[in-house]
Amino acid sequence: MCGIVGYIGHRDSQNILIEGLKKLEYRGYDSAGIAVYTDKGLQVKKAKGRLAVLEDQLTGAPLSGSIGIGHTRWATHGKPSDVNSHPHTNVQKKISVVHNGIIENYIQLKEELIAKGYVFESETDTEVIAHLVSDLYEGDIVAAVRKAVKRIHGAYGLGVLAENEPDKLVAVRMHSPLIIGVGENENFIASDIPAILEYTREVYILNDGEMAVLTKDGVTLTDLEGGPVSRDTYRVDWDMQTAEKGGFDHFMLKEIYEQPKAYRDTMNPRIDGGRVVLPEVGMTADYIRDIRRVHIVACGTAYHAGLVGKTVIERLTRIPVETDVASEYRYRDPIINKDTLVIVVSQSGETADTLAAMREAKRQGARVLAITNVVGSSVARDADDVIVTLAGPEIAVASTKAYTSQLIAFYLLGLYFAQTLGTVDAGTVSATIDAMEKLPEQVERVLDQADVIKRVSEQIKDVDNLFYIGRGLDYTVVQEGSLKLKEISYIHSEAYAAGELKHGTLALITEGVPVIALATQEALFEKTLSNIVEVKARGARVLGIANEGDAEMAKSVDDVLYIPRTLPLLTPALSVVPLQLLAYYVSLARGNDVDKPRNLAKSVTVE
Ligand code: M6R
């Protein structure tokens, strides 16, 4: 949510900032801006709209200088506009600030500053920081920022630049991700690694309450009191190609097609001799035996992975599991104690709602296991145990390979617990592992049927409403399919437990309404088929998705897609793929920006 880049070094900064912001545009894309220390002093250019609008403005009038900060915005306070775009400056335009997060006490601070005579230009919370730092400035920008952050409450990743001290860049982190890239005679700040990966692989990942002062020649880390912080850099072991489109038209399509690899990468190092090995989970057998309940907490797509996780863990271990939306979890007064294992799931590892839920769970004494795709993320650092999904960077706002890798993580974890508890026999464990090892090749076979999905997407692209139905695990998967379609096609859809339609929603099924029906759960196939027949009888146009060999499906629907057979527990890892493709092709057919859907951002670091 908002992307920050900063540079100090020997090169011209404008290009580094703009190219860095391009890599961060997934974090927010309603406006962008840069501030550069030029031979005319600190200069700012910012513009509403995509980064390309700012780039156009800079083409005729570049900002030249070797220290600068940049920002791409996802609006929280104040609508997208030129004036609300970052960087924000103090009244004299000599201190410039970029910010990711939310300042919760900004109204109170704003009133104080207005009373002192400060004039505000924007509706943002961030502008408060610029004036506050200015108010506290006595010739030392580091000291002023340190004093300012003591006054602000909330979440912030900050980059600050002062015209009077053009040899340094200040960065602070509190609940909003920020990394420092360490180069030779140049250093960087960024919200995420891809922004600086072209220049360096050595990064510091700031912790909450840490500050970095960057000069051309070095980086000093301190806490907010100015006490030294000592830490080794982290070496990034993936390259830019992984974070680029690689011949695909969109990141989302590339990421859908990367799923077989993501499955293998997440699974293979954790399987050995027909058993699951999870050295990163430091739980003793006694601890696992004492778990009385599991809470899975996550948002959006990760929550949908958690719904599958609930079934997986319950079936394999018979431990009761509840899955909660993170933004609700804290407020429902959940029953948590030391026998409760809380599993948080987050691709980015920076989702504010998930982090807040996780902290509450820890405060109440639960052990927290994180499933995340980002090493060194806040979720990864705060959890007791971490299973990293090895899906590689996910750039498209619509999550695909992260979701399926999270499913793989749940299968591994469920089997690992079951091995320890003896709740399933060794034969079942090894048969499940065998079936998991076939999934990558089976996903490829689903991807080979993209033409069926393209055809159906043409029928769907102009409708206003559609329905997804399924039972059991299929119901959890259609919830993900429906979210995917909504977020990138902007078509309203609902996911229903197929048996629930007759209790109300069937009234909405009329001639030609599209229904996507998933029927991959063997034990529920007949029942779901009856529900399909019911919607057909009311005029629905149905795409049925079933297991190979379930020929009955083709007889009952308008279009059919068969997925390769696997164990019922594993089908979500296959059946979600056509739903991802459907959302992609419908979005494409409607001319939407697939990778950057309106109003959204990839990493949601505000509550
Ligand atoms: O990074 P996280 O997994 O914590 O993100 C959670 C949700 O914001 C995310 O899954 C969101 O729902 C996706 N845009 C859905 O495609």
Side-chain angles (χ1 to χ4, degrees):
M1 201 129 286
C2 301
I4 292 176
V5 189
Y7 177 76
I8 183 163
H10 52 89
R11 313 184 213 210
D12 200 51
S13 60
Q14 177 179 301
N15 192 41
I16 294 172
L17 298 176
I18 294 294
E19 290 307 310
L21 290 177
K22 281 184 190 164
K23 310 271 172 10
L24 296 181
E25 236 190 333
Y26 72 88
R27 302 180 63 86
Y29 34 81
D30 59 44
S31 50
I34 61 170
V36 175
Y37 179 72
T38 71
D39 54 9
K40 296 191 194 81
L42 195 56
Q43 299 221 311
V44 177
K45 277 241 167 86
K46 49 194 199 173
K48 177 184 165 189
R50 297 287 163 96
L51 192 55
V53 179
L54 176 69
E55 255 188 307
D56 276 354
Q57 291 186 9
L58 289 166
T59 305
L63 298 184
S64 177
S66 56
I67 167 167
I69 49 180
H71 188 270
T72 178
R73 181 170 186 247
W74 183 86
T76 56
H77 297 64
K79 62 182 185 305
S81 70
D82 289 355
V83 79
N84 285 337
S85 311
H86 300 213
H88 290 282
T89 50
N90 67 338
V91 175
Q92 296 77 20
K93 314 273 181 229
K94 288 185 184 299
I95 293 173
S96 190
V97 176
V98 286
H99 166 222
N100 171 24
I102 285 184
I103 305 304
E104 287 164 3
N105 58 336
Y106 86 103
I107 292 177
Q108 176 207 329
L109 291 170
K110 189 169 179 174
E111 282 167 0
E112 262 178 49
L113 289 160
I114 289 172
K116 284 183 166 184
Y118 288 89
V119 178
F120 280 74
E121 289 180 343
S122 76
E123 303 156 273
T124 65
D125 52 343
T126 305
E127 195 183 349
V128 162
I129 308 171
H131 296 308
L132 185 61
V133 172
S134 179
D135 191 54
L136 298 165
Y137 186 68
E138 292 174 320
D140 180 349
I141 189 64
V142 177
V145 173
R146 196 170 281 139
K147 284 184 203 157
V149 295
K150 286 197 178 131
R151 299 271 343 264
I152 61 183
H153 306 155
Y156 47 87
L158 292 179
V160 185
L161 184 56
E163 182 176 288
N164 293 346
E165 297 173 71
D167 59 340
K168 54 176 82 95
L169 201 55
V170 185
V172 197
R173 170 192 165 128
M174 184 65 79
H175 307 315
S176 284
L178 211 53
I179 58 135
I180 309 297
V182 182
E184 286 213 1
N185 300 321
E186 57 183 354
N187 293 301
F188 308 79
I189 65 174
S191 303
D192 198 1
I193 292 168
I196 55 154
L197 199 52
E198 201 178 325
Y199 310 101
T200 180
R201 287 172 173 277
E202 297 299 326
V203 300
Y204 290 114
I205 298 171
L206 288 189
N207 286 330
D208 288 339
E210 287 181 355
M211 177 184 252
V213 180
L214 289 74
T215 63
K216 185 162 148 311
D217 305 312
V219 176
T220 309
L221 302 184
T222 65
D223 59 26
L224 296 184
E225 303 302 324
V229 167
S230 141
R231 154 140 6 108
D232 290 335
T233 54
Y234 162 73
R235 187 165 172 79
V236 182
D237 60 4
W238 45 271
D239 54 29
M240 265 326 290
Q241 265 184 325
T242 334
E244 279 168 359
K245 284 187 205 151
F248 285 88
D249 289 340
H250 296 96
F251 280 112
M252 182 181 177
L253 193 61
K254 173 183 177 246
E255 288 160 6
I256 290 172
Y257 277 81
E258 280 174 344
Q259 289 179 113
K261 179 175 183 320
Y263 286 25
R264 288 188 190 101
D265 289 350
T266 303
M267 194 160 58
N268 289 355
R270 289 152 172 153
I271 290 175
D272 190 15
R275 286 176 69 81
V276 173
V277 282
L278 287 178
E280 60 269 68
V281 175
M283 297 172 193
T284 62
D286 280 346
Y287 172 82
I288 295 171
R289 272 191 282 275
D290 284 344
I291 298 172
R292 288 291 162 267
R293 61 170 77 98
V294 174
H295 291 173
I296 302 175
V297 186
C299 303
T301 287
Y303 165 75
H304 293 150
L307 294 176
V308 178
K310 170 184 160 70
T311 303
V312 170
I313 293 174
E314 286 189 342
R315 286 206 192 149
L316 291 173
T317 69
R318 307 313 294 158
I319 301 172
V321 183
E322 293 165 51
T323 303
D324 276 85
V325 167
S327 55
E328 291 292 317
Y329 184 65
R330 282 184 297 166
Y331 308 110
R332 77 162 171 93
D333 196 11
I335 300 166
I336 304 172
N337 55 40
K338 65 175 180 26
D339 304 334
T340 311
L341 172 67
V342 173
I343 303 176
V344 294
V345 191
S346 174
Q347 187 284 132
S348 63
E350 300 294 348
T351 300
D353 288 321
T354 308
L355 275 163
M358 167 177 181
R359 288 178 182 137
E360 178 59 18
K362 287 200 86 170
R363 195 186 65 75
Q364 293 198 36
R367 184 170 184 136
V368 175
L369 181 148
I371 296 176
T372 180
N373 199 35
V374 181
V375 179
S377 60
S378 301
V379 158
R381 281 179 296 160
D382 287 2
D384 299 295
D385 309 279
V386 184
I387 299 179
V388 177
T389 49
L390 296 166
E394 191 181 66
I395 310 290
V397 167
S399 182
T400 53
K401 64 176 179 173
Y403 167 83
T404 43
S405 304
Q406 287 156 1
L407 301 189
I408 299 294
F410 274 117
Y411 296 137
L412 291 168
L413 185 66
L415 288 170
Y416 182 71
F417 283 171
Q419 281 170 190
T420 310
L421 298 170
T423 41
V424 291
D425 58 56
T428 307
V429 172
S430 76
T432 308
I433 289 173
D434 284 351
M436 284 173 69
E437 285 176 326
K438 293 195 181 100
L439 289 173
E441 178 268 330
Q442 292 180 319
V443 170
E444 275 156 14
R445 283 168 51 203
V446 178
L447 291 169
D448 287 345
Q449 300 180 67
D451 279 354
V452 177
I453 296 297
K454 272 189 211 164
R455 196 177 64 236
V456 175
S457 70
E458 282 300 317
Q459 297 156 11
I460 286 175
K461 70 179 184 353
D462 296 319
V463 304
D464 294 326
N465 283 297
L466 69 98
F467 293 87
Y468 288 82
I469 59 172
R471 286 171 177 256
L473 276 173
D474 288 333
Y475 174 45
T476 68
V477 174
V478 292
Q479 290 178 66
E480 170 57 10
S482 174
L483 171 63
K484 212 88 305 169
L485 186 86
K486 280 183 275 214
E487 82 174 313
I488 59 171
S489 76
Y490 320 146
I491 295 176
H492 173 253
S493 70
E494 301 247 13
Y496 259 86
E500 187 66 10
L501 283 178
K502 57 186 176 289
H503 298 290
T505 317
L506 205 51
L508 296 173
I509 306 293
T510 53
E511 198 59 36
V513 170
V515 173
I516 317 295
L518 211 54
T520 71
Q521 298 301 296
E522 284 162 20
L524 299 167
F525 182 73
E526 301 290 330
K527 294 228 180 293
T528 308
L529 211 53
S530 306
N531 301 132
I532 290 172
V533 172
E534 283 158 18
V535 294
K536 277 296 301 165
R538 276 128 188 115
R541 183 175 178 93
V542 181
L543 165 66
I545 299 173
N547 294 319
E548 278 170 356
D550 283 337
E552 280 302 302
M553 179 60 99
K555 294 181 197 149
S556 311
V557 297
D558 300 278
D559 296 281
V560 67
L561 187 142
Y562 288 112
I563 61 168
R565 253 181 209 283
T566 183
L567 299 176
L569 205 55
L570 304 184
T571 52
L574 300 177
S575 60
V576 74
V577 177
L579 305 188
Q580 295 168 339
L581 285 170
L582 185 68
Y584 174 79
Y585 284 115
V586 173
S587 174
L588 197 65
R590 287 167 70 94
N592 295 351
D593 188 339
V594 176
D595 285 337
K596 297 187 195 115
R598 69 185 180 203
N599 303 341
L600 300 177
K602 180 70 180 163
S603 180
V604 187
T605 53
V606 294
E607 285 182 55

